[in-house]
Amino acid sequence: MKTLSQKNNPHVQAFFDQTTNTISYVVSDVETKQCAVIDSVMDYEPYGATISFESAQKIVDHIKSNDYILEWILETHVHADHISAAKYIQEKCGGKIGISNHITEVQNVFGDVFSDDEVLLRDGSQFDVLFNDDETFMIGSINAQALYVPGHTPADVAYYIGDVLFVGDTMFMPDYGSARCDFPGGSPEKLYDSVFKLFALPEMTRVFVCHDYLPEGRKEYIFETTLGDEKTNNIHLRNSVLKEDFIALRSARDATLGMPKLIIPAIQVNIRGGVVPKNSGGKMKLIIPINSIFSKKVYS
């Protein structure tokens, strides 16, 4: 893997959504005032099927109050546990919505599951930029790279920006471990390889995770660590763990996990770049598939 020599380092502002245990980020270049948003959250109340944007509006307000120029709205993958507010933020602040070019693999899996009177294009055209594996780009004057890290899903990327790494769901805080790999196209073997790919970066690299779940014994949410800490202390994937042992551990753990609460609305919206699908009359709607892939342990 060829990585960048880093120029400048970004300012990182975190936004925690306790309903979904998601941490979104605004990453800014203080010199140019340009910034990126990573893994935003749309508020969704499942019992009344109501969407709102209080969480996303906090990000919008932060951008505007600091006179930032929003250059990128980045997704680490198609999330199954929260709904993206990428389109809402774009409408308020501009910017390009980016995701891995492997998004098409995920769209192909779920296109038929959620087929209705609206045809889902499966070419990734709902997004402005589809990053090639390990493609480089800029946030203001700061070097950035979309590192392809499949395993949790087939379309995960980690964003290496300055001295900072945003890992999405590829790994969590060291005391919580790793992401599940039982989604379609997921693979514990690939996740292991992806994490060790990231371990090749400098140990002092700051790591920001997408979720925190308060593992037993910890009383406060934490979202920042370092690669050195992950390599030494991650309970699932420290650098002394053998691949076959991780595969056995991850597979056994995944077999016990239930379906994410928001997976059905989240997948429908997130494969569309944060756009809620509409019926032929132009009204927003979501499909609830019965006895579909979501009813089977393969995607639980």
Side-chain angles (χ1 to χ4, degrees):
M1 174 185 66
K2 183 179 180 180
T3 57
L4 300 172
S5 59
Q6 298 300 346
K7 175 186 177 183
N8 301 335
N9 293 314
H11 177 268
V12 179
Q13 180 65 50
F15 296 82
F16 181 62
D17 177 61
Q18 191 158 359
T19 301
T20 61
N21 291 87
T22 301
I23 306 99
S24 305
Y25 299 97
V26 174
V27 190
S28 56
D29 176 7
V30 296
E31 289 186 3
T32 66
K33 289 285 191 175
Q34 290 177 297
C35 72
V37 171
I38 299 177
D39 290 337
S40 61
V41 174
M42 178 193 299
D43 301 301
Y44 179 73
E45 193 284 296
Y47 300 107
T50 304
I51 64 171
S52 57
F53 296 97
E54 289 86 355
S55 296
Q57 189 59 44
K58 292 177 183 177
I59 291 175
V60 170
D61 292 343
H62 176 76
I63 291 169
K64 292 185 175 181
S65 66
N66 286 280
D67 295 322
Y68 289 152
I69 302 164
L70 183 57
E71 192 171 6
W72 294 98
I73 304 163
L74 303 173
E75 300 288 348
T76 55
H77 63 293
V78 173
H79 305 274
D81 46 17
H82 75 266
I83 304 173
S84 170
K87 196 65 178 179
Y88 175 85
I89 292 173
Q90 184 180 57
E91 290 171 351
K92 297 293 183 181
C93 299
K96 300 182 291 290
I97 301 174
I99 199 167
S100 166
N101 61 359
H102 294 272
I103 178 63
T104 56
E105 299 175 36
V106 182
Q107 289 175 329
N108 281 326
V109 168
F110 294 107
D112 292 333
V113 176
F114 293 117
S115 62
D116 197 19
D117 53 348
E118 180 196 40
V119 176
L120 173 69
L121 296 177
R122 307 181 192 187
D123 58 1
S125 58
Q126 301 87 347
F127 301 83
D128 299 306
V129 176
L130 302 181
F131 291 111
N132 295 317
D133 297 358
D134 303 340
E135 182 175 345
T136 61
F137 61 105
M138 301 291 292
I139 300 174
S141 64
I142 300 175
N143 294 323
Q145 193 167 20
L147 300 175
Y148 181 47
V149 286
H152 173 57
T153 80
D156 282 64
V157 291
Y159 294 105
Y160 186 36
I161 303 169
D163 69 338
V164 176
L165 183 66
F166 298 90
V167 294
D169 290 3
T170 299
M171 55 185 166
F172 300 122
M173 295 300 295
D175 58 354
Y176 197 79
S178 61
R180 65 193 300 167
C181 298
D182 58 337
F183 294 174
S187 163
E189 181 176 11
K190 290 181 179 178
L191 183 67
Y192 183 95
D193 291 341
S194 292
V195 168
F196 275 75
K197 172 181 177 176
L198 298 179
F199 281 172
L201 298 173
E203 290 194 355
M204 291 307 296
T205 300
R206 300 157 65 200
V207 174
F208 290 87
V209 299
C210 187
H211 298 284
D212 190 49
Y213 299 102
L214 280 186
E216 185 176 356
R218 178 147 58 79
K219 296 182 179 179
E220 61 180 354
Y221 293 102
I222 305 174
F223 52 85
E224 180 180 358
T225 181
T226 66
L227 270 184
D229 195 18
E230 292 282 6
K231 289 172 69 172
T232 303
N233 298 313
N234 188 289
I235 60 172
H236 295 163
L237 277 166
R238 59 192 175 274
N239 58 5
S240 61
V241 173
L242 299 176
K243 180 184 285 190
E244 56 266 32
D245 292 337
F246 172 72
I247 292 171
L249 179 152
R250 188 69 260 172
S251 299
R253 183 175 175 85
D254 288 349
T256 70
L257 299 178
M259 183 170 62
K261 181 174 65 175
L262 296 183
I263 188 171
I264 289 177
I267 294 294
Q268 292 179 71
V269 175
N270 295 345
I271 58 177
R272 293 173 168 87
V275 175
V276 180
K278 295 180 180 179
N279 62 22
S280 57
K283 293 188 176 182
M284 291 188 293
K285 53 85 180 167
L286 294 168
I287 296 171
I288 301 178
I290 304 300
N291 291 338
S292 70
I293 193 171
F294 298 105
S295 305
K296 301 175 182 178
K297 197 58 187 173
V298 68
Y299 202 159
S300 59

